Amino acid sequence: MAQTDTLTIAAVERDRPSPLQWVWQGSTVIALAVLVIVFTIAGNGVFLTAGNMTNILNQVAILTIIAVAQTFVMVVGDFDLSVGTTATLSGASAAALMIAGVPVPLAIILALVVGTLIGVINGILVAYLNLSAFVATLATMTTVGGLALIVTGGTTLYGWPSSVSRVLTVCRSLLSMRSSSRSSRGLCCVSRRSGAAGTRSAATPKLRGCRA
């Protein structure tokens, strides 16, 4: 019994991160803290004001939604390069429809349909045609970016502005779905199934296709 306890303690000590590892793992937070301090000093107290913080949060709102959605793709061991241009085309489509007089709810639904179609195309290319996720989404990124340029005409379209409260609602819904839904738990097993001794479950392509 004593020998088992000794081995357990030794294993814990061996797996305990060193101070350098702690710093490396928290490097992103440290870098963020340094940037906040630098801009606070350089901004003469303006940087940490409520108005500026609200402005920053509104600017990163769309990127936050994209980043949270990207985690679903990364969970299955893939990477989608087209998420940015897909969001651009969907948003541009919604704004163009609103400017054209289409009701806001219908414009939003149609924009979601556009994004869904792009995701379906990516899923088919990767899961069923066995193309590399990098190559497939690089191609769709270029194509979708061109379509977004056509929709906007190279100009800025002003539609429904982003809001921190809306972003928090969307992110909460996505994270809740990821942690509790049956399909999301299935996604977590896809990368293991795809890489386990070269085997591949029949359900794997369907799950990989749905992730887009």
Side-chain angles (χ1 to χ4, degrees):
M1 184 67 180
Q3 184 178 2
T4 302
D5 293 339
T6 303
L7 292 175
T8 302
I9 295 174
V12 171
E13 292 292 336
R14 184 179 63 252
D15 296 335
R16 180 176 300 172
S18 65
L20 184 59
Q21 289 175 322
W22 279 108
V23 173
W24 176 256
Q25 292 174 358
S27 58
T28 303
V29 177
I30 295 173
L32 176 62
V34 171
L35 287 174
V36 170
I37 293 173
V38 169
F39 282 111
T40 300
I41 296 174
N44 296 321
V46 178
F47 182 75
L48 289 179
T49 59
N52 190 53
M53 289 294 102
T54 302
N55 183 41
I56 292 175
L57 290 174
N58 283 327
Q59 289 179 358
V60 302
I62 301 302
L63 293 178
T64 302
I65 295 177
I66 294 174
V68 172
Q70 182 72 278
T71 61
F72 286 86
V73 184
M74 299 180 71
V75 160
V76 300
D78 286 328
F79 193 82
D80 190 349
L81 296 175
S82 66
V83 288
T85 52
T86 299
T88 300
L89 179 59
S90 299
S93 300
L97 291 170
M98 293 176 194
I99 293 174
V102 176
V104 173
L106 180 58
I108 294 175
I109 292 174
L110 293 176
L112 291 175
V113 170
V114 170
T116 301
L117 288 176
I118 298 171
V120 169
I121 293 172
N122 283 333
I124 292 174
L125 292 175
V126 175
Y128 291 97
L129 299 183
N130 293 323
L131 293 179
S132 166
F134 180 87
V135 174
T137 58
L138 179 62
T140 53
M141 178 186 72
T142 305
T143 304
V144 172
L147 292 175
L149 184 61
I150 293 174
V151 171
T152 61
T155 61
T156 301
L157 301 180
Y158 295 94
W160 196 20
S162 60
S163 167
V164 176
S165 61
R166 297 190 191 102
V167 172
L168 291 177
T169 301
V170 172
C171 291
R172 190 184 306 114
S173 301
L174 289 173
L175 292 175
S176 175
M177 181 176 67
R178 180 188 170 194
S179 62
S180 62
S181 70
R182 179 180 178 183
S183 61
S184 179
R185 287 194 296 269
L187 289 176
C188 295
C189 301
V190 171
S191 58
R192 300 192 189 101
R193 291 178 180 177
S194 299
T199 60
R200 187 173 184 178
S201 170
T204 298
K206 294 181 181 180
L207 289 171
R208 294 184 74 204
C210 289
R211 104 295 187 240

